[in-house]
Amino acid sequence: MNNPLFLLIVLVFFIFYWVYYCAGRKRANRAGWQALPTREQYLILHPESRVDDQIACHHCGHQHLQAQGLVHLADFRHQYACPHCRQVLFRTQ
């Protein structure tokens, strides 16, 4: 670990990884998340999706939707997806 060249190579690798993988992925997710309809817009577009007090997938009719954080599990921006057909349906904040 006393080799400064090794430390420099590791540092360059992590910077490269952060810039091209992590930062780019987060930007793409935000743009896709903002393009999704909100919960209210989804219910207006698909009124048949309201089943009793639940919201169903308009593609397959599955009623148990999963909330997914945009960047990580504790993110306050959620997108709801159908676990049956894997379709992302709407977003909440």
Side-chain angles (χ1 to χ4, degrees):
M1 286 307 239
N2 291 336
N3 190 347
L5 183 60
F6 175 74
L7 292 175
L8 180 66
I9 290 171
V10 170
L11 180 65
V12 168
F13 171 77
F14 281 115
I15 290 172
F16 176 80
Y17 174 80
W18 175 257
V19 169
Y20 287 101
Y21 181 72
C22 293
R25 196 178 105 209
K26 289 179 184 177
R27 273 192 305 265
N29 283 346
R30 278 191 210 117
W33 180 78
Q34 289 175 341
L36 288 173
T38 62
R39 181 180 183 272
E40 292 77 19
Q41 291 169 342
Y42 177 78
L43 290 173
I44 291 170
L45 290 172
H46 307 286
E48 73 281 358
S49 297
R50 184 182 296 264
V51 179
D52 297 329
D53 289 338
Q54 294 184 341
I55 299 175
C57 174
H58 70 277
H59 293 281
C60 67
H62 194 74
Q63 293 183 8
H64 302 286
L65 304 180
Q66 290 181 335
Q68 305 165 344
L70 181 62
V71 178
H72 50 78
L73 292 175
D75 197 343
F76 66 94
R77 298 163 297 188
H78 288 96
Q79 58 187 16
Y80 286 78
C82 175
H84 189 256
C85 67
R86 299 183 184 182
Q87 192 74 4
V88 179
L89 303 173
F90 60 89
R91 64 183 166 102
T92 60
Q93 186 170 4

